[in-house]
Amino acid sequence: MSVKHGFIGFGNLAKAVYQGLKQEENIEFAYFARSRKEADIPYYNKISDLVAFADVIWLMVKPQDLSAVLEELTPLDRSGKTIVSPVAGRNIAFIERYLGTGQLIVRIMPNLAMAYRKSVTAFVSNQPDNGNASEIFHLLEKLGKAVQLEESGFDLFTAVFGSGPAFILSFIQIFKDKMQEFNLPGSLLDELLLELTQGTTLYFTQNQKNYSIEQLIQNITSKGGTTQAGLDYSRTHEIGKHFEGILDAARNRSEEMSKNGD
Ligand SMILES: NC(=O)c1ccc[n+]([C@@H]2O[C@H](COP(=O)([O-])OP(=O)(O)OC[C@H]3O[C@@H](n4cnc5c(N)ncnc54)[C@H](OP(=O)(O)O)[C@@H]3O)[C@@H](O)[C@H]2O)c1
């Protein structure tokens, strides 16, 4: 018998989950949103119909829209159903305030690479021993790496793995801006940078078991050479600290959102 998954909201992340899982057997999908989207899965124009359909209900709306959705869910029959929430800065207690402590809730923090089954996803549940919660964990393992994490770790995890792709891309953008000097078309610069990042990832992948990151950097660095010059600049100017600042700012914002409910 197939398990029915219903998305409330069908934006970037819901589409990524669907893309990552659509080849799976014994899973059916449908969604509800305030307006119909381009999608090859059924659309329900009433939230109550989506909830009646679904065994697993994914809360795929922005943090500021979550309360309105939870208010609509409160009076509906949700017995035996699993609620999955990737909503940043909204903890399990926040959802329980609307749906009750008896509701099975799984909080996750994924990223958009779910579409390619390459997400790194944190998982926590208010009923960790419930078999339906374990089912969700197994599903997340299919969408990349999944890790069980204390809820107190979610703010930092959100900064590193939820926002992380944007931070890494913004670093690549700095390289691209510098390469404007070459007078090459922007699309070619993107291709070259893609090759650079893929090559670096492959180098990391091939050697990660036997070498630390420090050793891998060392392998590219000759004494007194160009890499050494760049790394020395980075150390003198404490660039690492600034990078840490990016992650701290994101983590602080996640903590703030959790506290203020904004
Ligand atoms: N994107 C990421 O990389 C990422 C990573 C980790 C976690 N998250 C979390 O995932 C959640 C979704 O993010 P997203 O990027 O997918 O957002 P998104 O692209 O903006 O999609 C949000 C969806 O919610 C729908 N929606 C808004 N209000 C609604 C309501 N009252 N009832 C039903 N549907 C409603 C919107 O469609 P209508 O306006 O037509 O209703 C839209 O389909 C966020 O809470 C975010 O914190 C996202």
Side-chain angles (χ1 to χ4, degrees):
M1 218 179 70
S2 64
V3 180
K4 298 186 173 77
H5 289 252
F7 299 114
I8 297 179
F10 199 65
N12 297 308
L13 191 64
K15 285 177 185 149
V17 173
Y18 172 60
Q19 194 183 321
L21 289 177
K22 66 181 179 189
Q23 310 292 6
E24 289 292 312
E25 283 176 6
N26 301 324
I27 298 190
E28 282 178 54
F29 293 96
Y31 75 99
F32 160 80
R34 291 170 301 188
S35 60
R36 196 183 192 121
K37 315 286 172 208
E38 231 175 79
D40 56 1
I41 58 174
Y43 167 64
Y44 287 97
N45 61 7
K46 282 191 356 215
I47 198 167
S48 53
D49 290 342
L50 191 274
V51 170
F53 157 85
D55 304 308
V56 179
I57 299 164
W58 296 74
L59 306 176
M60 301 306 236
V61 298
K62 293 284 191 200
Q64 61 271 24
D65 294 320
L66 185 63
S67 292
V69 166
L70 291 173
E71 274 168 19
E72 289 192 73
L73 288 181
T74 303
L76 301 177
D77 181 9
R78 292 162 275 103
S79 47
K81 297 178 192 279
T82 309
I83 303 288
V84 180
S85 171
V87 180
R90 293 292 180 274
N91 59 22
I92 288 179
F94 181 93
I95 298 170
E96 283 178 340
R97 279 205 285 282
Y98 295 85
L99 307 185
T101 50
Q103 178 74 56
L104 172 59
I105 299 165
V106 170
R107 182 183 178 194
I108 64 171
M109 182 43 63
N111 62 41
L112 287 181
M114 279 188 146
Y116 329 110
R117 295 183 159 221
K118 282 285 177 198
S119 175
V120 181
T121 308
F123 164 103
V124 68
S125 173
N126 62 348
Q127 297 175 29
D129 299 330
N130 188 314
N132 289 340
S134 312
E135 287 302 315
I136 300 298
F137 187 75
H138 293 316
L139 218 51
L140 298 176
E141 283 182 313
K142 293 185 178 178
L143 293 170
K145 299 268 183 220
V147 59
Q148 308 219 19
L149 193 74
E150 300 262 327
E151 215 177 1
S152 57
F154 264 61
D155 292 314
L156 179 57
F157 198 94
T158 303
V160 178
F161 293 106
S163 307
F167 299 151
I168 293 172
L169 281 168
S170 71
F171 190 53
I172 295 170
Q173 179 72 51
I174 297 171
F175 280 46
K176 183 171 177 182
D177 292 345
K178 198 70 193 161
M179 285 165 68
Q180 295 308 326
E181 283 181 28
F182 293 147
N183 271 328
L184 293 170
S187 57
L188 178 57
L189 295 183
D190 283 350
E191 274 175 45
L192 299 181
L193 286 166
L194 190 61
E195 202 74 0
L196 172 69
T197 46
Q198 283 178 343
T200 308
T201 306
L202 212 55
Y203 171 57
F204 188 20
T205 312
Q206 302 286 327
N207 295 293
Q208 163 263 332
K209 284 214 167 66
N210 301 319
Y211 298 95
S212 67
I213 294 180
E214 284 88 346
Q215 283 169 320
L216 293 179
I217 294 173
Q218 208 56 51
N219 289 350
I220 310 170
T221 314
S222 354
K223 215 168 172 227
T226 53
T227 312
Q228 183 72 60
L231 292 174
D232 285 349
Y233 179 93
S234 171
R235 270 184 212 115
T236 317
H237 292 82
E238 298 189 313
I239 303 293
K241 259 202 186 148
H242 290 292
F243 269 100
E244 218 182 311
I246 296 175
L247 297 176
D248 285 339
R251 185 209 343 227
N252 292 344
R253 180 63 192 134
S254 178
E255 282 172 0
E256 234 173 62
M257 285 165 68
S258 313
K259 276 191 208 113
N260 304 344
D262 61 4

